[in-house]
Amino acid sequence: MKKTQKKSKFFKSLRFRIMFILFILGIVPSVIVAASIIGTYEERAVSVRISNVKNQCDIISNMLINEGYMSDQSSVSINSKLEMFSSVYSGRVMVVDLDFRVIKDTYNLDEGKTLISEDVIKCYRGEVSTQYNEKSQFIEMAFPIQGEDASKIYGVIYVNVSTNEIASNIELLEQREILILGIIAVLVIVLGYVLSSLLVKPFARVTKAIEDLTDGYQKDEISV
């Protein structure tokens, strides 16, 4: 019974309230900062990946036009470049002509088939279409194959790139975040207990002086 009363008294005490405030002031900003860092990293990593894929598509687009790949797909250098591109980015690359026909698929699944989608149609207007699917961890991009003057569209490069590497890095960052927040929480609790003890001491002396004054033992002025 005494222990329960002691606990109840502690949780209602000024010391506990000061500890709680210091804990909130120490942990909440840390959580917000950690979450914003991870969010910023993901946004930046995806942006860099999209930029790199666009650069590669631009290079491949020029090669396709210069070597006449849209009418003849026997070029060993182009096919090797497409396979390497697919392998480096752990994804899939398809080349689509103006008839919506897939003339090259690095997965060798849809060659000769028709690919009609909103992204492909946008590309025929000269627009680059990019979508990031966080759930499936993929970046989908439709890039127009066009000449240097961008006056004519020859086809579309349709790319599906994996972002598993980014997701793995985010998971690692989250694990470190939990570890660091745990360390901060322990330090805040310890420092909060020490600081609350120091901050409560003047109030304890005032309380003691008031009690002595009430009991008639204190005749001097209370000065804290």
Side-chain angles (χ1 to χ4, degrees):
M1 187 72 178
K2 286 183 179 179
K3 285 184 179 179
T4 307
Q5 287 178 346
K6 259 190 174 181
K7 285 183 180 179
S8 176
K9 190 176 179 182
F10 173 73
F11 288 123
K12 291 179 180 179
S13 65
L14 181 61
R15 175 181 290 183
F16 174 75
R17 292 176 185 179
I18 293 173
M19 282 181 62
F20 182 75
I21 291 170
L22 292 174
F23 181 80
I24 295 298
L25 291 175
I27 292 297
V28 172
S30 301
V31 172
I32 293 172
V33 169
S36 65
I37 288 173
I38 292 175
T40 303
Y41 166 77
E42 182 179 10
E43 184 180 339
R44 177 60 180 165
V46 171
S47 176
V48 169
R49 179 62 58 89
I50 289 173
S51 178
N52 290 338
V53 171
K54 276 185 180 178
N55 290 336
Q56 288 298 317
C57 286
D58 190 36
I59 294 170
I60 292 173
S61 174
N62 292 328
M63 292 176 66
L64 294 175
I65 296 171
N66 293 335
E67 298 198 22
Y69 190 84
M70 302 308 294
S71 56
D72 181 11
Q73 292 82 50
S74 60
S75 174
V76 176
S77 61
I78 296 290
N79 288 327
S80 299
K81 180 70 175 176
L82 292 172
E83 293 293 340
M84 185 175 67
F85 181 28
S86 175
S87 176
V88 168
Y89 288 96
S90 302
R92 181 182 186 182
V93 182
M94 290 188 288
V95 180
V96 184
D97 63 14
L98 291 175
D99 297 322
F100 297 94
R101 186 171 61 92
V102 180
I103 61 175
K104 175 63 180 178
D105 180 6
T106 55
Y107 279 11
N108 298 317
L109 296 174
D110 293 333
E111 287 184 4
K113 294 182 180 180
T114 301
L115 177 63
I116 301 176
S117 69
E118 183 182 352
D119 295 334
V120 173
I121 293 172
K122 283 181 179 179
C123 278
Y124 289 149
R125 299 174 189 154
E127 301 176 21
V128 178
S129 177
T130 304
Q131 294 181 12
Y132 170 53
N133 192 322
E134 186 178 356
K135 187 175 181 181
S136 60
Q137 297 176 2
F138 270 98
I139 295 172
E140 294 181 357
M141 181 183 296
F143 191 91
I145 302 170
Q146 53 190 357
E148 292 182 0
D149 57 354
S151 60
K152 185 178 179 181
I153 304 295
Y154 295 88
V156 174
I157 301 173
Y158 194 84
V159 183
N160 200 315
V161 177
S162 173
T163 58
N164 286 331
E165 180 185 347
I166 296 174
S168 299
N169 290 336
I170 291 173
E171 186 178 350
L172 180 62
L173 286 173
E174 287 175 344
Q175 290 174 358
R176 291 184 178 179
E177 173 194 353
I178 293 171
L179 177 62
I180 292 171
L181 288 177
I183 294 172
I184 291 174
V186 172
L187 291 175
V188 168
I189 290 172
V190 172
L191 290 174
Y193 182 81
V194 174
L195 288 174
S196 63
S197 299
L198 293 174
L199 292 171
V200 166
K201 277 185 179 179
F203 294 101
R205 288 199 296 270
V206 170
T207 304
K208 180 68 169 58
I210 291 173
E211 288 176 353
D212 291 344
L213 183 64
T214 305
D215 294 336
Y217 299 117
Q218 176 77 10
K219 293 182 180 179
D220 300 328
E221 290 183 0
I222 299 173
S223 177
V224 178

